[in-house]
Amino acid sequence: MSAERRIIPIEPAGSPGKSAAFEYISTRKDELIGWARKFSIFPYPFVTACCAMEFMAVSSTPYDTDRFGAALPRFSPRQSDLLMVVGTVTHKQAPILLKVWEQMCEPKWVMAFGVCATSGGFYQNYAAVPGIDRILPVDVYIPGCPPRPEMVIDGIMQLQDKIARQKHVIVTKDF
Amino acid sequence: MKSSAEVFDRIASRLSDREGEVAVSHGILVANLAPGGVLAAARLLRDELGFDVFLDVTAVDWPGQDPRFEVVWHFYSTSHKVRVRVKTRVPESNPSVPSLTPLYGSAAFMERECHEMYGIGFEGNADLRPLLLYEGFVGHPLRKDYPKEREQPLVAYRPGFELGERG
């Protein structure tokens, strides 16, 4: 904990000052930035195969990735920061995946959703890329064919931890 | 409507005029013909026997046998509601059969797929570009001598990852 630890006042609306349930929480600015960033993931679903069904299941009401701030898919790579590769990627499709990834702005993260994106799965043949980490860096691997929604949520939470630990460029000495 | 046995008898009598053998196997009439007789047989099936649907053309690789490749066509008749299978054998040195695109337009894509996967040539099909594979792919992946896990990636792998050839 740094010596320059500062306190951020929280004032609930309608009751300024005294009568709130709590008046202050204390945190560090970089932790606050990390907390804010980890709940504003904008995924780009690069959906190629049957794992899409599981992606839809985990996105919708019973499991609800919106609880983790990761519900709103952006269908433009330029507006997204999480590339979710959902399904098998073939060698013929690999240039397209790489182009999508290159179009995304930094900072960006990649999730390999399902065993095919992770390692090729049972497609060990001429057609399939045996793991998308061969062509682009992957942050979170979610195995399973398809993965259970709990596994996807666990992957999202691990990615959230990773994002929260990262230091954003705006957090400088003078921030 | 005639029973399929009657229809098969009629087709078999017409096809057996040609070189080859005709038999019923598992409810499908199977005609083994010479490569040169396929186009005429397909024309007979389409124009005179009512086989209006071209279902499929594919190939079978029999390694060690000569002729090595077997090309298989399937036809369906919506009026008789029966299927006919036409087979022929072609050698590895000249794996070439006539194209059925003059008779069935839907043959074009299936012949492209069979060409890229097995290396079968279809004389008369002017467009045999890769359909499911990509330009630059070397070899025919469904031939039995293609190494099972040989990769031909279009994107260079990142450092630390080696190209697999575990076949």
Side-chain angles (χ1 to χ4, degrees):
Chain A
M1 212 47 90
S2 74
E4 294 178 302
R5 178 176 161 190
R6 289 153 80 182
I7 291 170
I8 300 164
I10 303 280
E11 291 190 322
S15 56
K18 303 283 194 261
S19 61
F22 58 88
E23 294 179 10
Y24 302 97
I25 58 168
S26 64
T27 182
R28 285 174 19 215
K29 276 186 179 176
D30 54 350
E31 282 184 11
L32 183 66
I33 296 280
W35 176 83
R37 292 173 75 212
K38 79 174 187 178
F39 285 110
S40 64
I41 302 169
F42 285 79
Y44 177 93
F46 189 91
V47 178
T48 56
C50 38
C51 271
M53 299 297 125
E54 206 59 42
F55 175 76
M56 293 171 204
V58 77
S59 303
S60 54
T61 312
Y63 294 97
D64 191 9
T65 48
D66 205 9
R67 293 180 292 155
F68 308 94
L72 188 64
R74 311 305 300 185
F75 293 106
S76 163
R78 297 167 202 281
Q79 298 172 352
S80 56
D81 49 18
L82 170 61
L83 178 62
M84 295 178 90
V85 183
V86 182
T88 324
V89 176
T90 59
H91 284 301
K92 194 173 183 178
Q93 206 166 23
I96 303 164
L97 175 63
L98 189 66
K99 182 171 275 186
V100 167
W101 180 77
E102 284 170 345
Q103 285 178 348
M104 291 169 65
C105 296
E106 294 279 358
K108 58 189 172 187
W109 301 277
V110 178
M111 174 185 284
F113 188 116
V115 74
C116 289
T118 302
S119 70
F122 50 75
Y123 297 111
Q124 304 293 320
N125 58 20
Y126 65 95
V129 179
I132 58 164
D133 51 6
R134 278 161 173 71
I135 54 174
L136 47 86
V138 177
D139 295 278
V140 181
Y141 300 88
I142 303 172
C145 182
R148 288 283 309 166
E150 292 86 350
M151 297 164 72
V152 181
I153 289 171
D154 186 53
I156 293 174
M157 289 169 71
Q158 290 198 30
L159 182 68
Q160 283 186 321
D161 288 345
K162 182 171 184 173
I163 294 171
R165 283 199 311 275
Q166 286 175 344
K167 195 170 178 181
H168 195 278
V169 287
I170 65 167
V171 181
T172 59
K173 186 165 62 67
D174 306 318
F175 175 66
Chain B
M1 200 179 91
K2 291 176 183 169
S3 72
S4 57
E6 288 174 59
V7 177
F8 282 155
D9 283 344
R10 197 157 66 90
I11 299 164
S13 67
R14 295 295 302 274
L15 281 177
S16 57
D17 301 346
R18 296 158 204 287
E19 213 175 316
E21 53 183 76
V22 183
V24 176
S25 166
H26 295 86
I28 295 183
L29 192 77
V30 182
N32 279 293
L33 304 175
V38 171
L39 190 61
R43 185 169 280 126
L44 175 74
L45 285 169
R46 190 193 71 155
D47 294 342
E48 296 176 37
L49 298 172
F51 282 81
D52 46 353
V53 181
F54 179 85
L55 288 177
D56 192 22
V57 54
T58 185
V60 185
D61 184 1
W62 298 100
Q65 292 186 17
D66 190 43
R68 179 176 162 188
F69 296 104
E70 187 169 43
V71 187
V72 185
W73 292 264
H74 286 98
F75 303 92
Y76 181 69
S77 167
T78 51
S79 50
H80 304 307
K81 303 205 173 2
V82 292
R83 288 176 172 80
V84 163
R85 178 185 301 148
V86 175
K87 299 202 280 192
T88 190
R89 297 294 286 251
V90 286
E92 188 178 357
S93 56
N94 180 28
S96 182
V97 292
S99 168
L100 297 193
T101 45
L103 301 175
Y104 299 95
S106 58
F109 272 26
M110 300 181 203
E111 288 176 356
R112 277 173 72 180
E113 185 186 351
C114 189
H115 174 73
E116 66 183 353
M117 293 295 171
Y118 291 96
I120 306 292
F122 290 90
E123 289 167 28
N125 188 333
D127 182 14
L128 285 175
R129 286 174 299 144
L131 179 68
L132 301 173
L133 294 175
Y134 34 90
E135 294 288 346
F137 193 93
V138 178
H140 305 287
L142 292 192
R143 284 189 177 185
K144 295 296 181 192
D145 53 6
Y146 186 89
K148 184 162 64 77
E149 296 179 341
R150 178 184 284 169
E151 301 170 41
Q152 301 188 26
L154 291 175
V155 177
Y157 282 178
R158 296 166 62 224
F161 290 101
E162 288 187 6
L163 209 57
E165 185 154 346
R166 292 148 290 176

